[in-house]
Amino acid sequence: MHRAVGMVVAQTGLAPEDATALLRARAWARGGRVADLAADVLARRETFDDERPTPRV
């Protein structure tokens, strides 16, 4: 789980706590388990490149 969070941090620029919440939210939205999604992130079957935060002005 921690390595998957690190990959989400690298892809999105989010803080680790927010990356963890994003992983959990995506798993919940898809009706899946967080552990399965984390495995997909580590295997590069799932990315979060489209989740980059927009800069504040």
Side-chain angles (χ1 to χ4, degrees):
M1 176 70 176
H2 295 289
R3 289 182 8 207
V5 168
M7 288 182 73
V8 174
V9 167
Q11 291 174 11
T12 63
L14 293 172
E17 297 81 16
D18 295 332
T20 302
L22 185 58
L23 268 171
R24 289 180 176 163
R26 187 174 284 188
W28 179 83
R30 294 182 177 181
R33 296 178 347 141
V34 175
D36 294 336
L37 179 58
D40 287 344
V41 169
L42 292 175
R44 293 182 171 87
R45 290 186 296 265
E46 185 74 31
T47 64
F48 286 79
D49 293 331
D50 57 334
E51 300 288 340
R52 290 193 182 276
T54 56
R56 292 186 179 183
V57 179

